[in-house]
C-alpha cells in the first residue's frame, strides 16, 4: 500500500471508454461529429433539462453564460468565496464586478442570508446576478435562491461542476436535479478528469430557456450562425453571418465520445461515491473530526468528502508522508492576489476563512479500493491517537 500514491480524486477509464474514443478516431469526424449532439441530448436527460450545450471546458462554459446573460463593464454579480476561482473569473472576463457573500457555517455553500443582506444593502438593480455553487456536491437550495433573485431582479448561474446527479427536494416535495434549469437560468458542468465525468477537458451548459440555448450555440462558435431565419442577408447555401463576437469554445467529437461513455456509468459512480462517503462518516462520527453536512431528502453528489480539523497542516503533511495526497478546497477566492486589487481582503468573510483554516478533502473517487480507503482511515486514526497521546 505504501508504495502507491492515493490522490484525492482520479478519473476512471475503462476498455469501453477507450473503444468509444477509438471508434471516433477511426471514423469520419474528429471535431464536430455526431457524438457531440448525442452527449448533449443524453446529458440534458440525465440532469432533467430541456437543452444542453457542450463546451470546451467548464471555465469557457461559465464565460459564455456570463456573456449570454449580458454581463459587461459595471455589471455586479455575487458569488461564494469557497469555490474554484473560475466561478468568479467568468464575470471578470466580461468586465463585470465580482462581489462575494459569506458561506453558510453548516453547508459551506453560499449563504442565502448573507446574500440577502448584501442585496438589501444596496439599491434594487445594483446587482444583476448570483452564481451559487453546489460545493463539494451538496446541492444548494435553488428554490430559495430563485425567490431571492426574483425579489431583486437577478439571474442565476448554477455552478454545478461538483454535482452531476445531485438533487434536493423542493417545497412541493418534488425532486430537483442539479442543473435541471428549474430555478436557474443556466447551469454549468465540467468534464475535467477529477470531476464525475471525464472528457479530458470539457464542459456543459444546461438550460430550459430556448433563446439562451440558441444564443449559446452561436457564442460557442465565433458568434456565427447559418440559421436562415436569423440571417440579415442570404447569398446561398454557403452563406453564414458572424453577428456578434463569439469564441471557439467547441469540444471535439472524441472528447464527447469519452464523456458519453462515462455518462453511461454516472449512476454507478455516484452510488460508489455514496458508499465511500458512508464509510468515512461511519469511521469519523463521534471523533474530533468534523464531517460533512447532509440533510434528509438531499442527494449529495460527493465530488469531495471534506473533513474539518484543527491541526489541518500537520494532518495533511502526515498523510502526504504516507503517500495519501489530500487536497484543500478551496483557498478563499477573495484572498487571491488578483482579487485584492478590487479591495477584497483577508478578514472580509470570517466563515469562509475559518472553514479554509480547517478543511481537508479526503480521497474520493469511484475506483478508490476498499483497502485503500481503509488505509486512509487507519492512517488518520493513527495520527489522532499519536497527537492525543503527545498531549497526555
Ligand atoms: C472544475 C470547476 C470549474 C472549471 O471547470 P474546468 O473544466 O476545469 O474549466 C468551475 N467551477 C467549479 C466549482 C469547478 O470545480
Amino acid at each position: 500500500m505504501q508504495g502507491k500514491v492515493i490522490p484525492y480524486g482520479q478519473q476512471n477509464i475503462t476498455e469501453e471508454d477507450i473503444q468509444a474514443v477509438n471508434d471516433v478516431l477511426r471514423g469520419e469526424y474528429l471535431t464536430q461529429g455526431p457524438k457531440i449532439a448525442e452527449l448533449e441530448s443524453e446529458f440534458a436527460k440525465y440532469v432533467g433539462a430541456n437543452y444542453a450545450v457542450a463546451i470546451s471546458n467548464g471555465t469557457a462554459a461559465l464565460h459564455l453564460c456570463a456573456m449570454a446573460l449580458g454581463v459587461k463593464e459595471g455589471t455586479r454579480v455575487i458569488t461564494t468565496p469557497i469555490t474554484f476561482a473560475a466561478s468568479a473569473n467568468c464575470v471578470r472576463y466580461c468586465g463585470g464586478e465580482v462581489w462575494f457573500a459569506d458561506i453558510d457555517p453548516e453547508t459551506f455553500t453560499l449563504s442565502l442570508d448573507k446574500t440577502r443582506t448584501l442585496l438589501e444593502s444596496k439599491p434594487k438593480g445594483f446587482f444583476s446576478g448570483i452564481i451559487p455553487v453546489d460545493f463539494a456536491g451538496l446541492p444548494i437550495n435553488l428554490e430559495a435562491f430563485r425567490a431571492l433573485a426574483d425579489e431583486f431582479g437577478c439571474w442565476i448561474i448554477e455552478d454545478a461542476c461538483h454535482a452531476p446527479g445531485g438533487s434536493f427536494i423542493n417545497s412541493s416535495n418534488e425532486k430537483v436535479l442539479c442543473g435541471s434549469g428549474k430555478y436557474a437560468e443556466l447551469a454549468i458542468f465540467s468534464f475535467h478528469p477529477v470531476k464525475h465525468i471525464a472528457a479530458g477537458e470539457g464542459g456543459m451548459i444546461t438550460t430550459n430557456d430556448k433563446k439562451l440555448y440558441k444564443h449559446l450555440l452561436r457564442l460557442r462558435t465565433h458568434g456565427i450562425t447559418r440559421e436562415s431565419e436569423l440571417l440579415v442577408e442570404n447569398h446561398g447555401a454557403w452563406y453564414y453571418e458572424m453577428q456578434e463576437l463569439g469564441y471557439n469554445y467547441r469540444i471535439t467529437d472524441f472528447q464527447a465520445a469519452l464523456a458519453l461513455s462515462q455518462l453511461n456509468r454516472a449512476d454507478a459512480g455516484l452510488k460508489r461515491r455514496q458508499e465511500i462517503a458512508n464509510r468515512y462518516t461511519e469511521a469519523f462520527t463521534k471523533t474530533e473530526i468534523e464531517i460533512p453536512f447532509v440533510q434528509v431528502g438531499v442527494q449529495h453528489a460527493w465530488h469531495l468528502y471534506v473533513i474539518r480539523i484543527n491541526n489541518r497542516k500537520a494532518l495533511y503533511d502526515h498523510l502526504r508522508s504516507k503517500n495519501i495526497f489530500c487536497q484543500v478546497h478551496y483557498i478563499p477566492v477573495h484572498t487571491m492576489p488578483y482579487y485584492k486589487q478590487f479591495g477584497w481582503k483577508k478578514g472580509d468573510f470570517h466563515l469562509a476563512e475559518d472553514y479554509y483554516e480547517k478543511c481537508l478533502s479526503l480521497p474520493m473517487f469511484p475506483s478508490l479500493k476498499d483497502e485503500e480507503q481503509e488505509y486512509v482511515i487507519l492512517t488518520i486514526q493513527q495520527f489522532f491517537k499519536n497527537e492525543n497521546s503527545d498531549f497526555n
Side-chain angles (χ1 to χ4, degrees):
M1 194 68 76
Q2 251 77 0
K4 192 178 154 221
V5 165
I6 305 177
Y8 85 90
Q10 195 172 51
Q11 76 274 20
N12 177 25
I13 303 292
T14 64
E15 277 309 313
E16 256 180 3
D17 293 342
I18 292 167
Q19 196 53 52
V21 174
N22 252 332
D23 289 347
V24 172
L25 293 178
R26 290 178 201 285
E28 205 174 336
Y29 301 98
L30 212 49
T31 52
Q32 300 309 287
K35 287 292 164 194
I36 295 173
E38 206 182 318
L39 173 65
E40 288 172 336
S41 129
E42 289 304 311
F43 195 86
K45 247 187 264 168
Y46 183 66
V47 303
N50 291 347
Y51 308 104
V53 183
I55 304 288
S56 48
N57 59 67
T59 304
L62 279 163
H63 182 189
L64 293 194
C65 287
M67 276 183 85
L69 291 166
V71 176
K72 55 183 191 304
E73 207 178 313
T75 305
R76 300 179 193 92
V77 179
I78 302 170
T79 191
T80 167
I82 298 299
T83 185
F84 185 56
S87 314
N89 295 351
C90 64
V91 176
R92 293 293 310 133
Y93 294 153
C94 301
E97 284 179 25
V98 178
W99 288 62
F100 298 98
D102 213 342
I103 57 170
D104 181 285
E106 222 169 25
T107 64
F108 312 123
T109 56
L110 180 65
S111 159
L112 186 71
D113 293 343
K114 294 279 163 55
T115 305
R116 170 176 286 283
T117 307
L118 179 58
L119 286 164
E120 284 175 347
S121 73
K122 302 287 179 188
K124 256 194 191 161
F126 188 87
F127 293 103
S128 301
I130 309 172
I131 307 179
V133 180
D134 300 308
F135 173 66
L138 182 70
I140 30 173
N141 184 341
L142 271 183
E143 186 183 27
F145 268 99
R146 178 77 266 162
L148 182 64
D150 285 346
E151 213 180 303
F152 290 88
C154 289
W155 45 254
I156 298 174
I157 300 171
E158 177 189 9
D159 184 336
C161 281
H162 295 182
S167 65
F168 72 98
I169 304 291
N170 71 6
S171 60
S172 319
N173 216 22
E174 298 162 326
K175 178 171 144 177
V176 181
L177 286 160
C178 295
S180 71
K182 188 173 173 70
Y183 297 113
E185 277 77 358
L186 297 166
I188 73 113
F189 295 87
S190 164
F191 300 144
H192 182 277
V194 296
K195 309 290 163 72
H196 289 212
I197 295 162
E201 296 281 357
M204 190 69 85
I205 305 170
T206 56
T207 184
N208 288 341
D209 185 319
K210 191 170 182 179
K211 246 178 99 179
L212 283 173
Y213 167 66
K214 294 263 178 186
H215 192 186
L216 289 163
L217 290 178
R218 290 197 297 281
L219 288 175
R220 172 175 71 177
T221 179
H222 310 281
I224 285 175
T225 186
R226 291 173 184 276
E227 278 190 61
S228 53
E229 66 266 28
L230 296 176
L231 297 175
V232 179
E233 296 177 23
N234 196 341
H235 304 172
W238 69 86
Y239 188 70
Y240 62 85
E241 279 174 0
M242 190 200 123
Q243 297 182 326
E244 65 185 310
L245 191 61
Y247 293 84
N248 176 356
Y249 280 169
R250 297 183 304 256
I251 196 169
T252 64
D253 214 46
F254 55 93
Q255 289 170 312
L258 178 54
L260 195 55
S261 179
Q262 297 242 318
L263 179 59
N264 290 333
R265 295 199 306 279
D267 282 334
L270 193 59
K271 195 163 158 260
R272 178 66 187 136
R273 286 174 187 272
Q274 180 69 60
E275 276 171 19
I276 293 168
N278 291 348
R279 181 69 194 95
Y280 280 137
T281 297
E282 190 188 309
F284 301 137
T285 301
K286 294 188 189 134
T287 69
E288 60 205 288
I289 299 166
E290 286 180 63
I291 57 175
F293 174 85
V294 278
Q295 206 175 15
V296 182
V298 170
Q299 172 61 61
H300 199 306
W302 297 114
H303 168 55
L304 304 172
Y305 190 96
V306 182
I307 58 167
R308 275 157 310 117
I309 58 269
N310 287 320
N311 36 6
R312 190 261 314 275
K313 189 175 184 305
L315 177 60
Y316 174 90
D317 290 341
H318 177 73
L319 291 173
R320 213 173 153 94
S321 76
K322 302 286 182 193
N323 273 337
I324 300 165
F325 284 29
C326 292
Q327 188 53 278
V328 169
H329 298 95
Y330 289 96
I331 305 160
V333 182
H334 71 280
T335 66
M336 289 289 160
Y338 174 77
Y339 280 99
K340 282 186 186 158
Q341 69 179 299
F342 305 106
W344 303 106
K345 58 185 185 309
K346 206 171 163 194
D348 283 345
F349 303 106
H350 290 286
L351 294 167
E353 291 163 26
D354 179 61
Y355 163 83
Y356 166 61
E357 290 303 319
K358 296 179 182 164
C359 66
L360 191 66
S361 305
L362 302 185
M364 168 56 86
F365 49 95
S367 56
L368 181 70
K369 295 192 183 76
D370 284 343
E371 57 270 28
E372 289 172 329
Q373 189 182 12
E374 277 313 303
Y375 171 65
V376 172
I377 290 170
L378 282 172
T379 310
I380 292 172
Q381 286 169 339
Q382 197 59 48
F383 171 83
F384 280 103
K385 220 189 227 166
N386 294 344
E387 281 268 302
N388 292 336
S389 60
D390 283 351
F391 286 116
N392 290 340

